[in-house]
Amino acid sequence: MLHRLRSSLRRVLAGGSPIVPLSPATPNCSPGLSGPAVRHESPLCHVFPRSRSFVMACLPRATATLARQDCSNGCSAPFAGERGSEEVAETFRAKDLIITQATVLKEKPDPDSLVFGATFTDHMLTVEWSSASGWEKPHIKPFGNLPIHPAASVLHYAVELFEGLKAFRGVDNKIRLFRPDLNMDRMCRSAVRTTLPMFDKEELLKCILQLLQIDQEWVPYSTSASLYIRPTFIGTEPSLGVKKPSKALLFVILSPVGPYFSSGSFTPVSLWANPKYIRAWKGGTGDCKMGGNYGASLLAQCEAVENGCQQVLWLYGKDNQITEVGTMNLFLYWINEDGEEELATPPLDGIILPGVTRQSILELAQQWGEFKVCERHLTMDDLATALEGNRVKEMFGSGTACVVSPVSDILYKGQMLHIPTMENGPKLASRILGKLTDIQYGRVESDWTIELP
């Protein structure tokens, strides 16, 4: 899948041609014996005619339409690239990278003692944008604090988005990224939703690879740790007006990480399910990776802990649909109402984040062809009824940070529902975790990874 991407990246570092990432797949309900997942891929345009804006050339039609739309509240300024001026830089280019090496390097931490997201590498990537001049040249510089205006729109109105992906040091000592094209796709979709300017995601990935090359010794020499990559995009408009920002900053920081949960990488978690808090709703931003979605979840997380649980099971609607687990997508492995063995996960209906690990699990399960794989709505009543009938096999969350996290108990309406995930192996969750980590750490070859040249 990423053959062209990998080939181009090898040329990039020698000044080659652009990469062409692919769009994420959208699997639907499929029977177990239907064979490999059908990939609905729309290769993105890598030639941008001057007669069309960069934004419109690179986005799907529906997203491009959204990008064109102005609101009536201070959003009349067009995106960079729509004004037809040759002086406005429509995107930044990796070939223009300015690299300032750190003169003092920090000591690398012990991979076995890493706390998630608490340690950072020696360098970072920054790229500034303004509506007046477009994108500035990208800059890799020593890691440090950001100078920011007190009225910056990110601080007051949460004009912000981020991504999360990882670099892994394999058993062969090669450094690999896992499906970074999907993260770049999602980042662009989030940028449209936040009215932040569009950029060439191919060029951003090239810049990230350059940053990784410089800080490659920070990728842990361990198959239980990795280097977390956090691209972030913020509005820096120095004004208290509620409007599309005229200034923005894209930056990337790196952090060596161990297991996401302090209890370990494959210890089951307990969930607190209470409809008083809602993570996302139709027409909102639940399908985008924005900081506001996470900040607003903290109170519910605190209440979950106060009730003796580790994470929140987010519910939605009058029928208490099961949506996500904490910051993870959710999977239920069960015997469904029709007596079929099924792996189910909530559909991408606008309130679910389209996770990279989620998509990978769906595609793996469809390729195995051993049971039904389905994107469908699930309610707490569905789950309770299935538990009473001994039809539940496993439940687990998935995400870049945790990979796979088994669920053991759910506190719902004052009753603790036991999920027999661990009693059943967990056969499927363990298999998925093993397969994904084998790919990530190079024990199995896969076109889902890109090797750092």
Side-chain angles (χ1 to χ4, degrees):
M1 182 189 71
L2 297 178
H3 174 71
R4 287 177 294 174
L5 185 57
R6 289 194 301 273
S7 299
S8 179
L9 287 175
R10 285 192 290 267
R11 294 193 298 270
V12 161
L13 300 176
S17 58
I19 39 186
V20 185
L22 302 176
S23 300
T26 311
N28 294 312
C29 239
S30 64
L33 299 179
S34 61
V38 177
R39 300 300 308 277
H40 301 286
E41 295 168 339
S42 300
L44 296 172
C45 176
H46 64 282
V47 177
F48 308 111
R50 292 185 182 274
S51 60
R52 298 178 62 197
S53 76
F54 177 83
V55 174
M56 301 311 137
C58 290
L59 292 175
R61 181 176 299 175
T63 309
T65 300
L66 175 62
R68 288 192 190 96
Q69 293 175 348
D70 284 337
C71 62
S72 59
N73 227 356
C75 295
S76 57
F79 284 100
E82 290 188 305
R83 52 183 79 215
S85 171
E86 292 295 331
E87 298 178 357
V88 175
E90 296 179 341
T91 189
F92 51 88
R93 302 291 180 188
K95 66 180 179 62
D96 297 326
L97 261 171
I98 301 169
I99 299 177
T100 305
Q101 294 273 2
T103 55
V104 179
L105 302 182
K106 294 176 281 189
E107 183 179 353
K108 310 298 186 296
D110 180 355
D112 296 328
S113 62
L114 289 169
V115 177
F116 188 90
T119 304
F120 299 94
T121 67
D122 295 309
H123 297 88
M124 62 192 295
L125 169 71
T126 63
V127 200
E128 295 186 34
W129 174 89
S130 70
S131 58
S133 57
W135 287 100
E136 303 295 335
K137 292 181 179 180
H139 190 179
I140 292 177
K141 61 180 71 173
F143 183 90
N145 294 335
L146 298 173
I148 190 168
H149 194 283
S153 51
V154 62
L155 301 177
H156 298 268
Y157 308 121
V159 182
E160 183 264 5
L161 62 93
F162 67 95
E163 267 302 325
L165 59 158
K166 287 180 177 180
F168 305 86
R169 188 177 296 276
V171 294
D172 53 2
N173 202 37
K174 294 180 180 179
I175 296 173
R176 294 173 174 84
L177 275 69
F178 182 75
R179 311 193 79 173
D181 53 321
L182 301 185
N183 294 96
M184 298 297 100
D185 288 343
R186 188 171 63 186
M187 190 171 182
C188 282
R189 293 195 299 269
S190 296
V192 171
R193 187 64 173 86
T194 51
T195 71
L196 286 167
M198 194 48 58
F199 56 89
D200 188 332
K201 52 196 171 186
E202 303 166 3
E203 295 297 327
L204 174 58
L205 187 52
K206 296 173 190 177
C207 291
I208 290 174
L209 287 169
Q210 292 275 20
L211 178 62
L212 284 173
Q213 276 206 323
I214 293 172
D215 277 351
Q216 62 182 282
E217 284 303 307
W218 282 88
V219 182
Y221 287 82
S222 169
T223 54
S224 61
S226 56
L227 186 67
Y228 191 80
I229 304 167
R230 173 53 66 88
T232 309
F233 200 6
I234 63 175
T236 55
E237 171 78 26
S239 168
L240 297 180
V242 182
K243 57 184 177 180
K244 184 170 72 176
S246 64
K247 291 187 177 181
L249 173 67
L250 193 159
F251 63 92
V252 181
I253 55 178
L254 310 174
S255 174
V257 297
Y260 183 72
F261 297 111
S262 58
S263 58
S265 60
F266 208 60
T267 302
V269 296
S270 57
L271 308 179
W272 181 67
N274 192 316
K276 67 183 287 188
Y277 296 114
I278 300 173
R279 191 197 78 89
W281 51 90
K282 299 292 178 66
T285 59
D287 59 347
C288 296
K289 206 163 180 66
M290 300 178 180
N293 293 341
Y294 295 79
S297 73
L298 296 178
L299 181 59
Q301 174 62 28
C302 289
E303 287 203 29
V305 173
E306 290 172 1
N307 283 274
C309 299
Q310 293 162 288
Q311 291 287 320
V312 178
L313 177 58
W314 297 103
L315 306 179
Y316 177 76
K318 294 181 179 180
D319 55 350
N320 287 331
Q321 293 175 23
I322 297 169
T323 61
E324 295 192 4
V325 179
T327 59
M328 302 178 285
N329 292 122
L330 175 75
F331 285 87
L332 177 64
Y333 180 43
W334 68 334
I335 305 299
N336 67 18
E337 305 91 336
D338 299 322
E340 301 168 306
E341 187 177 355
E342 178 181 83
L343 178 64
T345 191
L348 301 181
D349 58 359
I351 65 173
I352 302 295
L353 185 72
V356 174
T357 308
R358 173 190 182 276
Q359 178 174 326
S360 302
I361 291 172
L362 287 172
E363 292 176 11
L364 279 178
Q366 287 178 318
Q367 289 167 11
W368 292 337
E370 299 171 11
F371 43 79
K372 187 175 183 180
V373 180
C374 193
E375 292 180 274
R376 53 166 291 179
H377 291 293
L378 299 163
T379 68
M380 285 302 299
D381 284 346
D382 293 334
L383 178 60
T385 301
L387 286 170
E388 291 174 2
N390 295 317
R391 293 190 285 111
V392 175
K393 294 176 176 289
E394 301 175 33
M395 178 181 281
F396 52 90
S398 71
T400 297
C402 67
V403 188
V404 174
S405 178
V407 174
S408 58
D409 298 280
I410 300 174
L411 181 58
Y412 177 61
K413 293 184 176 180
Q415 180 183 359
M416 187 66 78
L417 304 177
H418 179 65
I419 311 298
T421 304
M422 303 310 289
E423 289 88 334
N424 286 312
K427 182 181 178 182
L428 182 59
S430 297
R431 181 182 179 186
I432 290 170
L433 178 64
K435 180 64 175 178
L436 290 178
T437 53
D438 280 350
I439 292 172
Q440 291 165 345
Y441 289 101
R443 289 184 286 263
V444 173
E445 289 190 10
S446 172
D447 60 1
W448 282 355
T449 61
I450 296 176
E451 294 179 6
L452 188 66

mmCIF file of all heavy atoms in Angstrom, residues 81-101:
data_model
loop_
_atom_site.group_PDB
_atom_site.id
_atom_site.type_symbol
_atom_site.label_atom_id
_atom_site.label_comp_id
_atom_site.label_asym_id
_atom_site.label_seq_id
_atom_site.Cartn_x
_atom_site.Cartn_y
_atom_site.Cartn_z
ATOM 1 N N GLY A 81 -3.447 30.311 -0.831
ATOM 2 C CA GLY A 81 -3.533 29.554 -2.064
ATOM 3 C C GLY A 81 -4.804 29.825 -2.827
ATOM 4 O O GLY A 81 -4.927 29.452 -3.971
ATOM 5 N N GLU A 82 -5.786 30.511 -2.204
ATOM 6 C CA GLU A 82 -7.025 30.800 -2.907
ATOM 7 C C GLU A 82 -7.064 32.243 -3.408
ATOM 8 O O GLU A 82 -8.036 32.647 -4.005
ATOM 9 C CB GLU A 82 -8.220 30.565 -1.968
ATOM 10 C CG GLU A 82 -8.448 29.117 -1.656
ATOM 11 C CD GLU A 82 -9.736 28.905 -0.897
ATOM 12 O OE1 GLU A 82 -9.932 29.517 0.153
ATOM 13 O OE2 GLU A 82 -10.565 28.121 -1.377
ATOM 14 N N ARG A 83 -6.011 32.965 -3.135
ATOM 15 C CA ARG A 83 -6.054 34.371 -3.511
ATOM 16 C C ARG A 83 -5.317 34.640 -4.816
ATOM 17 O O ARG A 83 -5.280 35.747 -5.296
ATOM 18 C CB ARG A 83 -5.498 35.235 -2.372
ATOM 19 C CG ARG A 83 -4.140 34.784 -1.893
ATOM 20 C CD ARG A 83 -3.660 35.631 -0.722
ATOM 21 N NE ARG A 83 -4.297 35.225 0.515
ATOM 22 C CZ ARG A 83 -4.635 36.065 1.474
ATOM 23 N NH1 ARG A 83 -4.416 37.339 1.335
ATOM 24 N NH2 ARG A 83 -5.190 35.641 2.579
ATOM 25 N N GLY A 84 -4.660 33.621 -5.373
ATOM 26 C CA GLY A 84 -4.059 33.745 -6.684
ATOM 27 C C GLY A 84 -2.764 34.516 -6.730
ATOM 28 O O GLY A 84 -2.272 34.829 -7.794
ATOM 29 N N SER A 85 -2.193 34.853 -5.579
ATOM 30 C CA SER A 85 -0.945 35.618 -5.565
ATOM 31 C C SER A 85 0.247 34.681 -5.568
ATOM 32 O O SER A 85 0.314 33.742 -4.794
ATOM 33 C CB SER A 85 -0.894 36.499 -4.307
ATOM 34 O OG SER A 85 0.388 37.074 -4.181
ATOM 35 N N GLU A 86 1.216 34.939 -6.423
ATOM 36 C CA GLU A 86 2.424 34.131 -6.475
ATOM 37 C C GLU A 86 3.271 34.353 -5.222
ATOM 38 O O GLU A 86 4.163 33.568 -4.918
ATOM 39 C CB GLU A 86 3.232 34.481 -7.723
ATOM 40 C CG GLU A 86 2.572 34.085 -9.027
ATOM 41 C CD GLU A 86 2.440 32.572 -9.172
ATOM 42 O OE1 GLU A 86 3.260 31.837 -8.619
ATOM 43 O OE2 GLU A 86 1.493 32.145 -9.847
ATOM 44 N N GLU A 87 3.015 35.455 -4.468
ATOM 45 C CA GLU A 87 3.823 35.771 -3.304
ATOM 46 C C GLU A 87 3.375 34.987 -2.075
ATOM 47 O O GLU A 87 4.074 34.968 -1.066
ATOM 48 C CB GLU A 87 3.751 37.275 -3.021
ATOM 49 C CG GLU A 87 4.316 38.128 -4.159
ATOM 50 C CD GLU A 87 4.185 39.600 -3.865
ATOM 51 O OE1 GLU A 87 3.613 39.941 -2.806
ATOM 52 O OE2 GLU A 87 4.645 40.405 -4.684
ATOM 53 N N VAL A 88 2.225 34.376 -2.121
ATOM 54 C CA VAL A 88 1.717 33.615 -0.985
ATOM 55 C C VAL A 88 2.154 32.167 -1.113
ATOM 56 O O VAL A 88 1.828 31.486 -2.086
ATOM 57 C CB VAL A 88 0.175 33.708 -0.905
ATOM 58 C CG1 VAL A 88 -0.348 32.810 0.210
ATOM 59 C CG2 VAL A 88 -0.251 35.149 -0.680
ATOM 60 N N ALA A 89 2.894 31.672 -0.117
ATOM 61 C CA ALA A 89 3.377 30.292 -0.148
ATOM 62 C C ALA A 89 2.240 29.354 0.235
ATOM 63 O O ALA A 89 1.761 29.381 1.360
ATOM 64 C CB ALA A 89 4.552 30.132 0.805
ATOM 65 N N GLU A 90 1.800 28.538 -0.718
ATOM 66 C CA GLU A 90 0.666 27.659 -0.483
ATOM 67 C C GLU A 90 1.002 26.512 0.453
ATOM 68 O O GLU A 90 0.126 25.931 1.073
ATOM 69 C CB GLU A 90 0.154 27.114 -1.817
ATOM 70 C CG GLU A 90 -0.391 28.190 -2.731
ATOM 71 C CD GLU A 90 -0.873 27.633 -4.058
ATOM 72 O OE1 GLU A 90 -0.456 26.506 -4.409
ATOM 73 O OE2 GLU A 90 -1.648 28.311 -4.732
ATOM 74 N N THR A 91 2.254 26.141 0.528
ATOM 75 C CA THR A 91 2.697 25.123 1.472
ATOM 76 C C THR A 91 4.172 25.326 1.745
ATOM 77 O O THR A 91 4.847 26.098 1.056
ATOM 78 C CB THR A 91 2.441 23.699 0.939
ATOM 79 O OG1 THR A 91 2.701 22.751 1.989
ATOM 80 C CG2 THR A 91 3.325 23.382 -0.253
ATOM 81 N N PHE A 92 4.675 24.662 2.762
ATOM 82 C CA PHE A 92 6.108 24.645 3.028
ATOM 83 C C PHE A 92 6.711 23.440 2.321
ATOM 84 O O PHE A 92 6.020 22.511 1.937
ATOM 85 C CB PHE A 92 6.386 24.591 4.530
ATOM 86 C CG PHE A 92 5.635 23.505 5.244
ATOM 87 C CD1 PHE A 92 6.163 22.224 5.361
ATOM 88 C CD2 PHE A 92 4.385 23.756 5.808
ATOM 89 C CE1 PHE A 92 5.471 21.215 6.013
ATOM 90 C CE2 PHE A 92 3.689 22.762 6.463
ATOM 91 C CZ PHE A 92 4.232 21.482 6.565
ATOM 92 N N ARG A 93 8.028 23.451 2.142
ATOM 93 C CA ARG A 93 8.720 22.380 1.437
ATOM 94 C C ARG A 93 9.880 21.862 2.277
ATOM 95 O O ARG A 93 10.622 22.641 2.871
ATOM 96 C CB ARG A 93 9.270 22.888 0.092
ATOM 97 C CG ARG A 93 8.211 23.457 -0.849
ATOM 98 C CD ARG A 93 7.291 22.385 -1.381
ATOM 99 N NE ARG A 93 6.280 22.940 -2.282
ATOM 100 C CZ ARG A 93 5.254 22.241 -2.767
ATOM 101 N NH1 ARG A 93 5.114 20.968 -2.421
ATOM 102 N NH2 ARG A 93 4.379 22.800 -3.564
ATOM 103 N N ALA A 94 10.023 20.550 2.300
ATOM 104 C CA ALA A 94 11.102 19.936 3.074
ATOM 105 C C ALA A 94 12.474 20.355 2.554
ATOM 106 O O ALA A 94 13.432 20.446 3.320
ATOM 107 C CB ALA A 94 10.964 18.419 3.054
ATOM 108 N N LYS A 95 12.569 20.640 1.268
ATOM 109 C CA LYS A 95 13.864 21.033 0.698
ATOM 110 C C LYS A 95 14.325 22.383 1.231
ATOM 111 O O LYS A 95 15.516 22.720 1.129
ATOM 112 C CB LYS A 95 13.772 21.074 -0.829
ATOM 113 C CG LYS A 95 12.851 22.138 -1.390
ATOM 114 C CD LYS A 95 12.815 22.100 -2.902
ATOM 115 C CE LYS A 95 11.874 23.159 -3.479
ATOM 116 N NZ LYS A 95 12.303 24.530 -3.125
ATOM 117 N N ASP A 96 13.385 23.153 1.811
ATOM 118 C CA ASP A 96 13.736 24.465 2.355
ATOM 119 C C ASP A 96 14.040 24.420 3.849
ATOM 120 O O ASP A 96 14.195 25.474 4.486
ATOM 121 C CB ASP A 96 12.581 25.450 2.122
ATOM 122 C CG ASP A 96 12.302 25.676 0.645
ATOM 123 O OD1 ASP A 96 13.261 25.654 -0.136
ATOM 124 O OD2 ASP A 96 11.124 25.872 0.285
ATOM 125 N N LEU A 97 14.104 23.216 4.420
ATOM 126 C CA LEU A 97 14.325 23.078 5.858
ATOM 127 C C LEU A 97 15.562 23.838 6.331
ATOM 128 O O LEU A 97 16.634 23.742 5.734
ATOM 129 C CB LEU A 97 14.487 21.606 6.227
ATOM 130 C CG LEU A 97 13.272 20.874 6.807
ATOM 131 C CD1 LEU A 97 13.558 19.381 6.904
ATOM 132 C CD2 LEU A 97 12.895 21.436 8.173
ATOM 133 N N ILE A 98 15.365 24.581 7.403
ATOM 134 C CA ILE A 98 16.476 25.212 8.111
ATOM 135 C C ILE A 98 16.749 24.356 9.341
ATOM 136 O O ILE A 98 15.842 24.083 10.127
ATOM 137 C CB ILE A 98 16.131 26.650 8.528
ATOM 138 C CG1 ILE A 98 15.795 27.494 7.293
ATOM 139 C CG2 ILE A 98 17.259 27.274 9.330
ATOM 140 C CD1 ILE A 98 15.188 28.839 7.626
ATOM 141 N N ILE A 99 17.968 23.899 9.500
ATOM 142 C CA ILE A 99 18.293 23.006 10.614
ATOM 143 C C ILE A 99 19.307 23.674 11.528
ATOM 144 O O ILE A 99 20.402 24.044 11.104
ATOM 145 C CB ILE A 99 18.849 21.661 10.104
ATOM 146 C CG1 ILE A 99 17.792 20.956 9.242
ATOM 147 C CG2 ILE A 99 19.257 20.769 11.274
ATOM 148 C CD1 ILE A 99 18.269 19.653 8.620
ATOM 149 N N THR A 100 18.896 23.850 12.786
ATOM 150 C CA THR A 100 19.774 24.394 13.815
ATOM 151 C C THR A 100 19.978 23.312 14.862
ATOM 152 O O THR A 100 19.055 22.969 15.604
ATOM 153 C CB THR A 100 19.161 25.640 14.480
ATOM 154 O OG1 THR A 100 18.841 26.608 13.470
ATOM 155 C CG2 THR A 100 20.128 26.243 15.492
ATOM 156 N N GLN A 101 21.170 22.744 14.908
ATOM 157 C CA GLN A 101 21.443 21.639 15.821
ATOM 158 C C GLN A 101 21.588 22.139 17.254
ATOM 159 O O GLN A 101 22.134 23.221 17.511
ATOM 160 C CB GLN A 101 22.745 20.942 15.402
ATOM 161 C CG GLN A 101 22.681 20.241 14.054
ATOM 162 C CD GLN A 101 22.153 18.811 14.162
ATOM 163 O OE1 GLN A 101 21.792 18.348 15.240
ATOM 164 N NE2 GLN A 101 22.110 18.117 13.041
#
